[in-house]
Amino acid sequence: MGYRVVVVGATGNVGRETLNILAEREFPADEVAVLASRRSLGTECSFGDKTLKVQDLEQFDFTG
């Protein structure tokens, strides 16, 4: 069973490094969401061999 992970501030230095470390260590994540402010909406972030689209932090539903 894997984890569901959300990286807030994914377009910043700390967020990008967090994604790199998770990928390097092959963290068992079933789902990874990358969040940032509205001005970063639509930006893409790398996570291992995947490309993830940045979602709006203010609109993200953390209950799911």
mmCIF file of all heavy atoms in Angstrom, residues 10-12 16 19 34-46 51-56:
data_model
loop_
_atom_site.group_PDB
_atom_site.id
_atom_site.type_symbol
_atom_site.label_atom_id
_atom_site.label_comp_id
_atom_site.label_asym_id
_atom_site.label_seq_id
_atom_site.Cartn_x
_atom_site.Cartn_y
_atom_site.Cartn_z
ATOM 1 N N ALA A 10 5.553 23.511 -4.564
ATOM 2 C CA ALA A 10 6.319 22.605 -5.419
ATOM 3 C C ALA A 10 7.191 23.308 -6.450
ATOM 4 O O ALA A 10 8.166 22.731 -6.921
ATOM 5 C CB ALA A 10 5.371 21.645 -6.131
ATOM 6 N N THR A 11 6.878 24.538 -6.788
ATOM 7 C CA THR A 11 7.681 25.237 -7.795
ATOM 8 C C THR A 11 8.867 25.975 -7.197
ATOM 9 O O THR A 11 9.732 26.451 -7.920
ATOM 10 C CB THR A 11 6.814 26.236 -8.596
ATOM 11 O OG1 THR A 11 6.213 27.156 -7.682
ATOM 12 C CG2 THR A 11 5.743 25.506 -9.390
ATOM 13 N N GLY A 12 8.922 26.045 -5.877
ATOM 14 C CA GLY A 12 10.051 26.695 -5.209
ATOM 15 C C GLY A 12 11.214 25.733 -5.026
ATOM 16 O O GLY A 12 11.120 24.540 -5.320
ATOM 17 N N ARG A 16 10.899 21.599 -5.047
ATOM 18 C CA ARG A 16 11.581 20.816 -6.093
ATOM 19 C C ARG A 16 12.544 19.812 -5.474
ATOM 20 O O ARG A 16 12.628 18.657 -5.912
ATOM 21 C CB ARG A 16 12.310 21.737 -7.067
ATOM 22 C CG ARG A 16 11.369 22.480 -8.010
ATOM 23 C CD ARG A 16 12.115 23.137 -9.152
ATOM 24 N NE ARG A 16 13.180 24.016 -8.694
ATOM 25 C CZ ARG A 16 13.086 25.327 -8.562
ATOM 26 N NH1 ARG A 16 11.957 25.932 -8.868
ATOM 27 N NH2 ARG A 16 14.105 26.051 -8.138
ATOM 28 N N LEU A 19 10.628 16.852 -4.016
ATOM 29 C CA LEU A 19 10.246 15.913 -5.069
ATOM 30 C C LEU A 19 11.441 15.078 -5.524
ATOM 31 O O LEU A 19 11.309 13.863 -5.738
ATOM 32 C CB LEU A 19 9.639 16.665 -6.262
ATOM 33 C CG LEU A 19 8.257 17.268 -6.026
ATOM 34 C CD1 LEU A 19 7.898 18.222 -7.157
ATOM 35 C CD2 LEU A 19 7.212 16.172 -5.879
ATOM 36 N N VAL A 34 1.093 18.172 -6.694
ATOM 37 C CA VAL A 34 1.983 19.319 -6.507
ATOM 38 C C VAL A 34 1.144 20.587 -6.507
ATOM 39 O O VAL A 34 0.344 20.819 -7.406
ATOM 40 C CB VAL A 34 3.100 19.360 -7.579
ATOM 41 C CG1 VAL A 34 4.079 18.234 -7.350
ATOM 42 C CG2 VAL A 34 2.553 19.281 -8.985
ATOM 43 N N LEU A 35 1.326 21.402 -5.470
ATOM 44 C CA LEU A 35 0.521 22.609 -5.287
ATOM 45 C C LEU A 35 1.404 23.836 -5.208
ATOM 46 O O LEU A 35 2.545 23.763 -4.749
ATOM 47 C CB LEU A 35 -0.293 22.509 -3.991
ATOM 48 C CG LEU A 35 -1.147 21.274 -3.782
ATOM 49 C CD1 LEU A 35 -1.858 21.356 -2.437
ATOM 50 C CD2 LEU A 35 -2.141 21.090 -4.896
ATOM 51 N N ALA A 36 0.845 24.954 -5.635
ATOM 52 C CA ALA A 36 1.543 26.234 -5.546
ATOM 53 C C ALA A 36 0.498 27.340 -5.657
ATOM 54 O O ALA A 36 -0.697 27.078 -5.774
ATOM 55 C CB ALA A 36 2.587 26.359 -6.646
ATOM 56 N N SER A 37 0.964 28.568 -5.645
ATOM 57 C CA SER A 37 0.053 29.707 -5.758
ATOM 58 C C SER A 37 -0.499 29.788 -7.181
ATOM 59 O O SER A 37 -0.015 29.128 -8.096
ATOM 60 C CB SER A 37 0.783 31.004 -5.408
ATOM 61 O OG SER A 37 1.798 31.256 -6.358
ATOM 62 N N ARG A 38 -1.498 30.619 -7.351
ATOM 63 C CA ARG A 38 -2.160 30.750 -8.668
ATOM 64 C C ARG A 38 -1.221 31.160 -9.791
ATOM 65 O O ARG A 38 -1.398 30.766 -10.918
ATOM 66 C CB ARG A 38 -3.294 31.767 -8.576
ATOM 67 C CG ARG A 38 -4.489 31.207 -7.916
ATOM 68 C CD ARG A 38 -5.667 32.124 -8.067
ATOM 69 N NE ARG A 38 -6.782 31.493 -7.382
ATOM 70 C CZ ARG A 38 -7.882 32.113 -7.067
ATOM 71 N NH1 ARG A 38 -8.017 33.379 -7.359
ATOM 72 N NH2 ARG A 38 -8.841 31.484 -6.454
ATOM 73 N N ARG A 39 -0.217 31.952 -9.466
ATOM 74 C CA ARG A 39 0.668 32.415 -10.540
ATOM 75 C C ARG A 39 1.517 31.274 -11.117
ATOM 76 O O ARG A 39 2.072 31.395 -12.190
ATOM 77 C CB ARG A 39 1.521 33.582 -10.091
ATOM 78 C CG ARG A 39 2.512 33.267 -9.051
ATOM 79 C CD ARG A 39 3.423 34.466 -8.794
ATOM 80 N NE ARG A 39 4.447 34.063 -7.873
ATOM 81 C CZ ARG A 39 4.566 34.457 -6.632
ATOM 82 N NH1 ARG A 39 3.728 35.352 -6.159
ATOM 83 N NH2 ARG A 39 5.510 34.008 -5.857
ATOM 84 N N SER A 40 1.588 30.149 -10.404
ATOM 85 C CA SER A 40 2.329 28.987 -10.901
ATOM 86 C C SER A 40 1.414 27.944 -11.532
ATOM 87 O O SER A 40 1.880 26.891 -11.952
ATOM 88 C CB SER A 40 3.108 28.332 -9.761
ATOM 89 O OG SER A 40 4.096 29.188 -9.268
ATOM 90 N N LEU A 41 0.131 28.235 -11.601
ATOM 91 C CA LEU A 41 -0.833 27.290 -12.168
ATOM 92 C C LEU A 41 -0.424 26.864 -13.571
ATOM 93 O O LEU A 41 -0.020 27.687 -14.385
ATOM 94 C CB LEU A 41 -2.213 27.933 -12.252
ATOM 95 C CG LEU A 41 -3.227 27.506 -11.227
ATOM 96 C CD1 LEU A 41 -4.504 28.289 -11.391
ATOM 97 C CD2 LEU A 41 -3.464 26.038 -11.237
ATOM 98 N N GLY A 42 -0.506 25.579 -13.829
ATOM 99 C CA GLY A 42 -0.175 25.064 -15.151
ATOM 100 C C GLY A 42 1.293 24.744 -15.338
ATOM 101 O O GLY A 42 1.659 24.091 -16.303
ATOM 102 N N THR A 43 2.123 25.186 -14.425
ATOM 103 C CA THR A 43 3.540 24.848 -14.491
ATOM 104 C C THR A 43 3.676 23.344 -14.289
ATOM 105 O O THR A 43 2.846 22.719 -13.640
ATOM 106 C CB THR A 43 4.315 25.588 -13.371
ATOM 107 O OG1 THR A 43 4.101 26.982 -13.515
ATOM 108 C CG2 THR A 43 5.790 25.292 -13.421
ATOM 109 N N GLU A 44 4.719 22.767 -14.836
ATOM 110 C CA GLU A 44 4.939 21.338 -14.669
ATOM 111 C C GLU A 44 6.155 21.089 -13.796
ATOM 112 O O GLU A 44 7.135 21.824 -13.858
ATOM 113 C CB GLU A 44 5.107 20.670 -16.029
ATOM 114 C CG GLU A 44 3.845 20.743 -16.859
ATOM 115 C CD GLU A 44 3.985 20.098 -18.213
ATOM 116 O OE1 GLU A 44 5.123 19.899 -18.676
ATOM 117 O OE2 GLU A 44 2.949 19.789 -18.815
ATOM 118 N N CYS A 45 6.069 20.054 -12.954
ATOM 119 C CA CYS A 45 7.163 19.653 -12.068
ATOM 120 C C CYS A 45 7.533 18.211 -12.372
ATOM 121 O O CYS A 45 6.663 17.387 -12.645
ATOM 122 C CB CYS A 45 6.737 19.754 -10.605
ATOM 123 S SG CYS A 45 6.467 21.419 -10.020
ATOM 124 N N SER A 46 8.802 17.915 -12.275
ATOM 125 C CA SER A 46 9.274 16.548 -12.491
ATOM 126 C C SER A 46 9.258 15.781 -11.182
ATOM 127 O O SER A 46 9.627 16.300 -10.135
ATOM 128 C CB SER A 46 10.699 16.560 -13.033
ATOM 129 O OG SER A 46 10.739 17.171 -14.281
ATOM 130 N N THR A 51 5.844 13.701 -15.125
ATOM 131 C CA THR A 51 5.673 15.146 -15.142
ATOM 132 C C THR A 51 4.306 15.445 -14.539
ATOM 133 O O THR A 51 3.293 14.938 -15.008
ATOM 134 C CB THR A 51 5.749 15.689 -16.585
ATOM 135 O OG1 THR A 51 7.009 15.325 -17.142
ATOM 136 C CG2 THR A 51 5.599 17.190 -16.607
ATOM 137 N N LEU A 52 4.295 16.254 -13.489
ATOM 138 C CA LEU A 52 3.064 16.575 -12.774
ATOM 139 C C LEU A 52 2.678 18.026 -13.008
ATOM 140 O O LEU A 52 3.530 18.910 -12.994
ATOM 141 C CB LEU A 52 3.257 16.330 -11.278
ATOM 142 C CG LEU A 52 3.768 14.947 -10.874
ATOM 143 C CD1 LEU A 52 4.080 14.915 -9.383
ATOM 144 C CD2 LEU A 52 2.758 13.884 -11.233
ATOM 145 N N LYS A 53 1.403 18.264 -13.214
ATOM 146 C CA LYS A 53 0.906 19.624 -13.430
ATOM 147 C C LYS A 53 0.553 20.259 -12.091
ATOM 148 O O LYS A 53 -0.127 19.659 -11.263
ATOM 149 C CB LYS A 53 -0.316 19.595 -14.339
ATOM 150 C CG LYS A 53 -0.731 20.971 -14.824
ATOM 151 C CD LYS A 53 -1.640 20.880 -16.002
ATOM 152 C CE LYS A 53 -0.758 21.090 -17.189
ATOM 153 N NZ LYS A 53 -1.388 21.463 -18.400
ATOM 154 N N VAL A 54 1.025 21.477 -11.878
ATOM 155 C CA VAL A 54 0.791 22.201 -10.629
ATOM 156 C C VAL A 54 -0.681 22.587 -10.510
ATOM 157 O O VAL A 54 -1.290 23.079 -11.457
ATOM 158 C CB VAL A 54 1.686 23.467 -10.557
ATOM 159 C CG1 VAL A 54 1.334 24.315 -9.352
ATOM 160 C CG2 VAL A 54 3.147 23.071 -10.526
ATOM 161 N N GLN A 55 -1.223 22.360 -9.311
ATOM 162 C CA GLN A 55 -2.597 22.721 -9.005
ATOM 163 C C GLN A 55 -2.612 23.908 -8.045
ATOM 164 O O GLN A 55 -1.644 24.162 -7.341
ATOM 165 C CB GLN A 55 -3.314 21.530 -8.358
ATOM 166 C CG GLN A 55 -3.364 20.309 -9.254
ATOM 167 C CD GLN A 55 -3.998 19.143 -8.534
ATOM 168 O OE1 GLN A 55 -5.091 19.261 -7.968
ATOM 169 N NE2 GLN A 55 -3.323 18.011 -8.527
ATOM 170 N N ASP A 56 -3.743 24.591 -8.004
ATOM 171 C CA ASP A 56 -3.913 25.777 -7.156
ATOM 172 C C ASP A 56 -4.080 25.378 -5.693
ATOM 173 O O ASP A 56 -4.988 24.603 -5.341
ATOM 174 C CB ASP A 56 -5.136 26.556 -7.628
ATOM 175 C CG ASP A 56 -5.334 27.862 -6.888
ATOM 176 O OD1 ASP A 56 -4.464 28.261 -6.085
ATOM 177 O OD2 ASP A 56 -6.385 28.495 -7.104
#
